[in-house]
Amino acid sequence: TGVSNLDQFDIDPNSEETGLQTLNLTLDADLEVNEFRAIGVDAINIVANADLFIGEDEDDALDSDNDGTYTPTLDNVSIIGDGDVTIDGLDGGTVDVDGSAMTGDLALGADFLGSSSSSVISGSGDDEIAVYSSLGGDIVTNSGDDLVLVGEDEGEGAFLGASSVSTGDGDDSV
C-alpha cells in the first residue's frame, strides 16, 4: 500500500534487441509519474490493481499542455484492473488502446488519433477520452458515464472520414 510519486520514468531502446519491446506494469499501490518517456517500447501492458496517473500535473489532467508522455514507437496499450488510470498526452504513430477489461475509470488524453488505424476501447468505468487533434480512428466506450472530447477546446477538432465514436450504456456525451 502507499503512493509513489516519480518525477521522471525513462526507458531507452536497447540497440542489441531486434524484436518488439514490451513494458509490463503491475500496480499494487497508487503511482504518479510526471514525465514518462518510453523510447523503443512497442507495447505497454498495465494491470491496474491501484490508481495510475501519468502527466505533468495531476491538478491539470487532460490538457494538451499537461502532456507527460513521450512514446514515439508505441503501437499497443492494454489496461486491465479496477484501479483508475489517467494517461495524459499518449502519442505514437498508430496506437491501439484496449481498456475493455477495466472496471476502474480511464482518463486518456490522446495526441495520436488522427490515424484511421488508431483506436481506443474503454471498460465499464466512467471514462473520459480527450483527443487533442482531429479524430481519424475509432473510440468505443462501454458502460459507464463517459465523455469524449475532440479538439483542443471543445468542438475545435475535426472528425475525419474514417472516424467513429460508439458509446455503451450510461449517461454519455460526445
Side-chain angles (χ1 to χ4, degrees):
T1 62
V3 175
S4 294
N5 186 331
L6 302 175
D7 289 332
Q8 191 169 338
F9 185 89
D10 288 327
I11 298 174
D12 288 320
N14 183 344
S15 61
E16 296 179 14
E17 297 294 328
T18 58
L20 297 176
Q21 302 291 310
T22 299
L23 172 63
N24 295 307
L25 295 174
T26 299
L27 303 170
D28 291 319
D30 292 352
L31 175 62
E32 176 182 330
V33 179
N34 298 116
E35 185 177 342
F36 180 83
R37 295 177 63 242
I39 300 169
V41 172
D42 302 289
I44 300 173
N45 298 318
I46 300 169
V47 178
N49 299 320
D51 295 349
L52 171 64
F53 177 88
I54 299 174
E56 275 186 26
D57 183 357
E58 69 276 8
D59 295 328
D60 197 20
L62 300 190
D63 181 323
S64 65
D65 293 332
N66 194 45
D67 185 345
T69 66
Y70 183 64
T71 53
T73 58
L74 189 63
D75 294 323
N76 296 290
V77 177
S78 173
I79 309 168
I80 63 172
D82 60 1
D84 295 340
V85 174
T86 300
I87 303 174
D88 205 351
L90 189 65
D91 51 22
T94 300
V95 180
D96 293 314
V97 177
D98 184 354
S100 60
M102 287 184 69
T103 56
D105 300 342
L106 174 63
L108 177 67
D111 290 329
F112 62 85
L113 288 177
S115 167
S116 63
S117 299
S118 295
S119 67
V120 174
I121 303 172
S122 68
S124 61
D126 296 336
D127 306 313
E128 184 172 350
I129 313 299
V131 180
Y132 299 141
S133 58
S134 298
L135 176 63
D138 298 323
I139 297 175
V140 176
T141 64
N142 288 302
S143 62
D145 297 337
D146 304 318
L147 174 63
V148 176
L149 299 171
V150 177
E152 181 63 35
D153 296 312
E154 292 182 38
E156 284 191 11
F159 285 87
L160 304 177
S163 62
S164 69
V165 176
S166 175
T167 61
D169 292 338
D171 185 15
D172 304 318
S173 298
V174 177

